[in-house]
Amino acid sequence: MAQLLLVEDDAAVRSALMRALTERGHAVTSAVTGMSGLRMAVDDRPDLIILDLGLPDIDGYEVIRMLRAVSPVPLIVATARDDEREIARVLDAGADDYLVKPFGAVQLDARIRAVLRRLQGEDDASQPLVVGELRVDPRSRHVTLAGRALDLRPKEFDLLCYLAARPGQVVSKRELMTQVWQLPYGGADKTVDVHLSWLRNKLGESAQRPRYIRAVRGVGVKLVDPAT
């Protein structure tokens, strides 16, 4: 059972959705304005929010922006607006899914379960990664080495996190370019080399004297515990 918060000003829609979601085993509370929804989101900490954009006091887009400043709670937008640019804007602001009215309760319930499953998987994958004395926290993007915090650039962190999630596994530069940089491979592997050099320097090592980052000639690199 999920604890849901429905932010919807239309009384008929609100009543129908609350009834249907309750019948499907969820516990549902509701708010009729954006500001009351924000207060309930912070105070009650629901598992997921279902938000209409056309609210009487404040546009739902602004609700999302304010909510994301204080909470990562999963959020599904359920609205009559079907403009592609609006959908993109709302998803970029932090919504996890978008449903256009009219829709059925079965479809909404399926979307709720899918979002919660996906985010649960992300939570499982966001546990701190430990390799030797190196600790990488994907959620806070914080890295320590022997208890000392490391100041990494965003891509240095992404690179280290990707390797730390695969300790001892050789990863090719092609894979790093596509998975870390989200770019097609082809002549840009110097980008990987430069970031690996920067990362080694911050880990107190070099290509000539490696500790954590080991090159495998002609194949790629891997992150290892120096003590093993």
Side-chain angles (χ1 to χ4, degrees), residues 80-88 98 100:
R81 301 180 192 175
D82 61 357
D83 180 76
E84 282 192 11
R85 287 173 297 181
E86 179 73 359
I87 294 172
Y98 195 108
V100 177

Side-chain angles (χ1 to χ4, degrees), residues 29-98:
T29 56
S30 68
V32 299
T33 67
M35 294 309 296
S36 61
L38 282 168
R39 285 193 295 271
M40 292 177 69
V42 172
D43 293 342
D44 300 342
R45 300 193 178 194
D47 296 320
L48 184 141
I49 296 174
I50 303 158
L51 174 72
D52 181 27
L53 295 180
L55 299 170
D57 60 335
I58 183 172
D59 188 76
Y61 174 77
E62 294 301 323
V63 173
I64 297 171
R65 291 182 65 248
M66 289 188 283
L67 180 66
R68 282 295 172 254
V70 296
S71 172
V73 60
L75 186 147
I76 295 176
V77 167
T79 183
R81 301 180 192 175
D82 61 357
D83 180 76
E84 282 192 11
R85 287 173 297 181
E86 179 73 359
I87 294 172
R89 188 172 76 120
V90 165
L91 292 173
D92 286 342
D96 295 287
D97 203 349
Y98 195 108

Side-chain angles (χ1 to χ4, degrees), residues 168-207:
Q169 177 181 326
V170 180
V171 180
S172 69
K173 292 179 183 178
R174 179 189 298 269
E175 181 176 343
L176 292 173
M177 284 303 301
T178 57
Q179 298 300 319
V180 177
W181 274 267
Q182 303 295 310
L183 293 172
Y185 183 83
D189 54 316
K190 289 298 181 185
T191 298
V192 177
D193 292 336
V194 169
H195 281 77
L196 284 171
S197 178
W198 289 341
L199 195 51
R200 282 188 172 111
N201 182 261
K202 291 181 178 179
L203 293 173
E205 60 183 78
S206 66

Side-chain angles (χ1 to χ4, degrees), residues 62-164:
E62 294 301 323
V63 173
I64 297 171
R65 291 182 65 248
M66 289 188 283
L67 180 66
R68 282 295 172 254
V70 296
S71 172
V73 60
L75 186 147
I76 295 176
V77 167
T79 183
R81 301 180 192 175
D82 61 357
D83 180 76
E84 282 192 11
R85 287 173 297 181
E86 179 73 359
I87 294 172
R89 188 172 76 120
V90 165
L91 292 173
D92 286 342
D96 295 287
D97 203 349
Y98 195 108
L99 268 174
V100 177
K101 297 176 181 176
F103 52 81
V106 173
Q107 182 185 11
L108 176 59
D109 183 46
R111 297 291 187 96
I112 291 169
R113 288 184 282 107
V115 167
L116 292 176
R117 280 198 307 270
R118 183 174 74 245
L119 294 177
Q120 179 60 51
E122 291 177 3
D123 285 343
D124 292 343
S126 66
Q127 296 302 310
L129 306 167
V130 179
V131 181
E133 293 185 301
L134 185 65
R135 189 175 190 273
V136 182
D137 190 332
R139 180 172 294 178
S140 66
R141 296 181 68 86
H142 185 67
V143 178
T144 59
L145 178 59
R148 177 176 61 88
L150 300 184
D151 183 18
L152 302 184
R153 297 180 177 93
K155 277 304 176 191
E156 290 171 352
F157 177 86
D158 294 341
L159 174 58
L160 180 61
C161 189
Y162 192 83
L163 293 173

Side-chain angles (χ1 to χ4, degrees), residues 10-26:
D10 186 301
V13 173
R14 187 173 65 252
S15 177
L17 286 178
M18 290 186 70
R19 182 173 60 254
L21 292 172
T22 300
E23 289 173 354
R24 283 163 175 77
H26 302 296

